[in-house]
Amino acid sequence: MMTIRVLKDKTAGGIMFFLTLSSMLLVVIMGIGLFLKSAPVFEEHSLGELLFSSSWKPMRGEFGFLPFIMGTIWVTVIAVVMAVPVSLLTAIYLTEYARPVVRKYVFPALDILAGLPSVIYGVWGTLLIVPFISGWLAPRFVDFSTGYTMLAGGIVLGVMILPLLVSLFIELITSVPEELREASISLGATRWQTTKAVVVRAVLPGLVAAVVLAVSRALGETIAVLMVCGNLPEIPGSLFDACYPIPALIANNYGEMLSLPLYEAALMFAALILFIVVLLFNLVSRVVLYRIEKTFS
Amino acid sequence: MKHFFQALSLPVKSRAYPFNAPDGKVANLFRPDRKFHRDEEESELVVRDLNVYIKEQHILKEINLAIPDKKITCIVGPSGCGKSTLLKTFNRLIDSVEGARVSGKVLLNGTDIVSSSGPEIIHLRREMGLISQKPCPLPMSIFDNIAYGCRIHGIRNRKKLRLVVRHYLEAAGLWEEVQDRLNTPAIRLSIGQQQRLCLARSLAVEPRFILADEATSALDPISSKTIEELFVKLKQNYSIVMVTHTLRQALRIADNVIFMYLGEVIESGPAERVFNRPEHKLTRKYLSGVFS
Ligand SMILES: Nc1ncnc2c1ncn2[C@@H]1O[C@H](COP(=O)(O)OP(=O)(O)OP(=O)(O)O)[C@@H](O)[C@H]1O
Ligand SMILES: [Mg+2]
């Protein structure tokens, strides 16, 4: 009996270790694969040229990725800057202020929003946000804009990650023990003071982790952004210029024009950049998280 | 009491916040809105026909009490009889219990606590310093835990905050242990230390009433004694209501005793009488240790 139990335990442990290892290996293999596939483009161009040149002329063999890198970063930044405060306040309202009835109806709605396929957000952006920008918002700031802009991409992306963020935040905030709130309230704190100084502070590491998750999602989002942001390979000069994030570049062009020399390798390089950006971002946020946890617990 | 304040009176020469009143009476550290001779103010707490229901369960039944000022009142009774609920009613923390309904009156200097609303409640909670049964440090440093109460009430002066923190940590007998790690997170303290921290934190908002719910349950006999001595000193200036399961403790420090059983006040009165000549047979049973 004893030996069988021990054996089972060991096998289970072994299998789980193997599965964990292979999923980690998968990441490494993907990285190596992308690198090998994009190698030809390195042979012709230096890394500096690829990353910092803004001239994208595949026909002439010029592959400058700067516009795409900037497009990706900007769209993500706009989305996160808009979505984080809104979703944090929404989550706080729902958990700390709203009556249970409100929660009962809003929570399922959030789940539905979080589950909608991204193409629907794209359509919604094309039908609503793009005309809004071209017809109303942009004329107040610039002479002309098609509406298919970096701003539209940011807004659509922000709206997309909003439900995800709200649910994650709600999960975190409801995990704060009631006693903590009571302790603060007993000292004569208002609810807002309690929320700000106690509740949010208690879950700060979690909040950061949630934002990291949302950013990773935003960095890789393809379809919805591709539909609204114009897709011009130029460095965007303002919110009302078109931009061309990396995922959109790959999705739009892969499978076409592959007869051009080096074009496939260049697209693979784009994928590699995205891969590394997401990886680096996650690593950096781990460090940040570790720092925060160290100071708070 | 005096030695707590001596250390503090040195660095502060300002006349705005006299830490020692001329006759040696303790002044408030940071509440200029209060007079420091508090003898004139009798803050008696009177409970009339108080009933509390939680989700249609009758938790407190027809409570009638008078809790005198500047005395230690001990509430004793078996587990689950409603002691914590009673204290929560006193500072309106009962509001955050889901499904709670309160009827009757709790009068503090003639003002009804049960029917007060809005900003009055905030003010009230500050006057009725509740120290909860389970020590619960806020997710911040030891220093910030104590300073929190002052900060939320608008005191930001670093120097003054440092004085307040030191003073109340000393009062709770924690200063020696934590003085070199005031900036480390308070969650790392031991449970007993956390309990003293919570006591210091409650004292730091300078309440009139101290409602201590088993404030010494996690402490060793010596630290308990320190807290008991502190309470005895504090009763010159505060009214103290404490829940305890240690009858010896009640015997040592209580001026008044309230015995509760299944949501009712069975007997209340001066400690000496309740302990020596209990009138009710449930009280006699409890005191002789029939139920814990
Ligand atoms: N939030 C709540 N929901 C439902 N019932 C509650 C709630 N809080 C307290 N009660 C009930 O009220 C009664 C009194 O609880 P209370 O915590 O006041 O007891 P207590 O005298 O403090 O006990 P102890 O000595 O164990 O701390 C108990 O029967 C308890 O189950
Ligand atoms: Mg209790």
Side-chain angles (χ1 to χ4, degrees), chain A residues 100 177-191 193-194 197-199 201-202 293-297, chain B residues 88 91 93 96 122 125-126 128-130 134 136-141 144 148-149 152-153 185 187-188 201-202 205:
Chain A
E178 203 54 41
E179 288 100 45
L180 221 51
R181 297 189 181 85
E182 290 181 359
S184 163
I185 284 179
S186 291
L187 297 170
T190 60
R191 203 190 304 224
Q193 286 173 322
T194 304
V198 176
V199 177
R201 197 150 169 184
E293 265 163 9
K294 227 171 74 173
T295 44
F296 279 104
S297 58
Chain B
K88 281 188 180 178
N91 86 335
L93 205 59
S96 56
I122 305 282
R125 290 201 175 118
R126 194 177 175 189
M128 312 292 282
L130 179 74
K134 219 167 102 188
C136 193
L138 300 172
M140 43 186 92
S141 69
D144 289 340
Y148 181 73
I152 57 177
H153 293 113
I187 316 164
R188 288 192 203 145
R201 189 178 65 195
S202 296
V205 292

Side-chain angles (χ1 to χ4, degrees), chain A residues 135-258:
Chain A
W136 192 83
L137 197 61
R140 273 148 224 264
F141 298 97
V142 291
D143 293 339
F144 173 76
S145 168
T146 56
Y148 290 91
T149 53
M150 191 161 79
L151 183 63
I155 292 176
V156 169
L157 201 53
V159 173
M160 267 188 75
I161 60 174
L162 197 79
L164 173 74
L165 277 173
V166 174
S167 345
L168 287 171
F169 286 165
I170 284 177
E171 196 97 345
L172 285 165
I173 293 175
T174 44
S175 75
V176 175
E178 203 54 41
E179 288 100 45
L180 221 51
R181 297 189 181 85
E182 290 181 359
S184 163
I185 284 179
S186 291
L187 297 170
T190 60
R191 203 190 304 224
W192 178 242
Q193 286 173 322
T194 304
T195 305
K196 223 172 34 166
V198 176
V199 177
V200 171
R201 197 150 169 184
V203 295
L204 198 63
L207 295 183
V208 174
V211 172
V212 170
L213 203 66
V215 171
S216 304
R217 166 117 199 250
L219 279 174
E221 176 49 41
T222 313
I223 296 296
V225 178
L226 176 153
M227 287 168 79
V228 297
C229 65
N231 303 333
L232 288 181
E234 281 158 19
I235 294 180
S238 83
L239 289 176
F240 301 105
D241 286 346
C243 70
Y244 208 164
I246 296 171
L249 169 76
I250 301 169
N252 266 345
N253 298 304
Y254 198 78
E256 294 170 21
M257 304 202 291
L258 288 187

Side-chain angles (χ1 to χ4, degrees), chain B residues 58-97:
Chain B
H58 205 165
I59 305 289
L60 293 180
K61 301 164 190 163
E62 285 298 313
I63 309 278
N64 280 290
L65 283 173
I67 293 172
D69 194 17
K70 303 199 175 66
K71 291 270 180 341
I72 297 179
T73 305
C74 280
I75 306 181
V76 296
S79 177
C81 68
K83 304 180 294 292
S84 300
T85 310
L86 185 63
L87 293 193
K88 281 188 180 178
T89 321
F90 289 167
N91 86 335
R92 286 292 294 266
L93 205 59
I94 192 84
D95 294 9
S96 56
V97 175

Side-chain angles (χ1 to χ4, degrees), chain B residues 26-278:
Chain B
V26 177
N28 289 300
L29 274 169
F30 66 91
R31 291 189 65 174
D33 57 317
R34 280 225 193 122
K35 288 182 253 166
F36 43 82
H37 293 288
R38 298 193 41 215
D39 302 44
E40 297 95 71
E41 306 169 29
E42 281 295 322
S43 32
E44 201 192 25
L45 194 67
V46 179
V47 183
R48 286 210 199 116
D49 302 328
L50 181 73
N51 282 287
V52 175
Y53 302 82
I54 300 178
K55 300 194 182 98
E56 298 315 312
Q57 226 183 319
H58 205 165
I59 305 289
L60 293 180
K61 301 164 190 163
E62 285 298 313
I63 309 278
N64 280 290
L65 283 173
I67 293 172
D69 194 17
K70 303 199 175 66
K71 291 270 180 341
I72 297 179
T73 305
C74 280
I75 306 181
V76 296
S79 177
C81 68
K83 304 180 294 292
S84 300
T85 310
L86 185 63
L87 293 193
K88 281 188 180 178
T89 321
F90 289 167
N91 86 335
R92 286 292 294 266
L93 205 59
I94 192 84
D95 294 9
S96 56
V97 175
E98 220 182 297
R101 196 156 58 76
V102 183
S103 73
K105 282 194 158 102
V106 179
L107 300 165
L108 174 64
N109 300 332
T111 318
D112 188 14
I113 289 176
V114 174
S115 64
S116 60
S117 60
E120 277 169 23
I121 297 180
I122 305 282
H123 182 70
L124 174 92
R125 290 201 175 118
R126 194 177 175 189
E127 300 288 351
M128 312 292 282
L130 179 74
I131 302 153
S132 72
Q133 190 161 5
K134 219 167 102 188
C136 193
L138 300 172
M140 43 186 92
S141 69
I142 296 172
F143 184 94
D144 289 340
N145 258 274
I146 310 291
Y148 181 73
C150 304
R151 291 208 175 107
I152 57 177
H153 293 113
I155 289 138
R156 308 239 157 232
N157 182 328
R158 285 291 299 178
K159 204 168 140 197
K160 208 184 291 168
L161 284 178
R162 270 204 299 277
L163 287 172
V164 171
V165 169
R166 169 155 191 190
H167 170 70
Y168 286 105
L169 282 175
E170 277 176 345
L174 193 59
W175 175 254
E176 302 269 293
E177 286 154 69
V178 300
Q179 56 176 320
D180 345 303
R181 46 173 174 147
L182 287 175
N183 290 318
T184 58
I187 316 164
R188 288 192 203 145
L189 294 173
S190 77
I191 301 291
Q193 288 172 327
Q194 290 183 9
Q195 210 158 40
R196 284 175 282 158
L197 179 86
C198 293
L199 175 66
R201 189 178 65 195
S202 296
L203 293 179
V205 292
E206 310 226 314
R208 265 166 222 268
F209 274 76
I210 296 168
L211 312 172
D213 200 343
E214 294 179 48
T216 59
S217 62
L219 299 184
D220 64 291
I222 295 182
S223 318
S224 304
K225 277 262 166 54
T226 318
I227 300 295
E228 284 173 26
E229 279 160 22
L230 173 70
F231 278 180
V232 172
K233 281 172 192 158
L234 287 176
K235 78 174 181 181
Q236 302 170 14
N237 299 281
Y238 300 83
S239 312
I240 298 168
V241 182
M242 63 183 278
V243 170
T244 179
H245 280 299
T246 324
L247 284 176
R248 272 165 200 281
Q249 188 173 53
L251 209 55
R252 277 195 296 265
I253 62 172
D255 297 302
N256 283 290
V257 174
I258 297 168
F259 171 60
M260 291 180 68
Y261 187 69
L262 293 180
E264 286 179 80
V265 171
I266 304 293
E267 192 160 352
S268 70
E272 191 262 336
R273 188 190 62 67
V274 175
F275 280 128
N276 296 328
R277 286 167 273 117

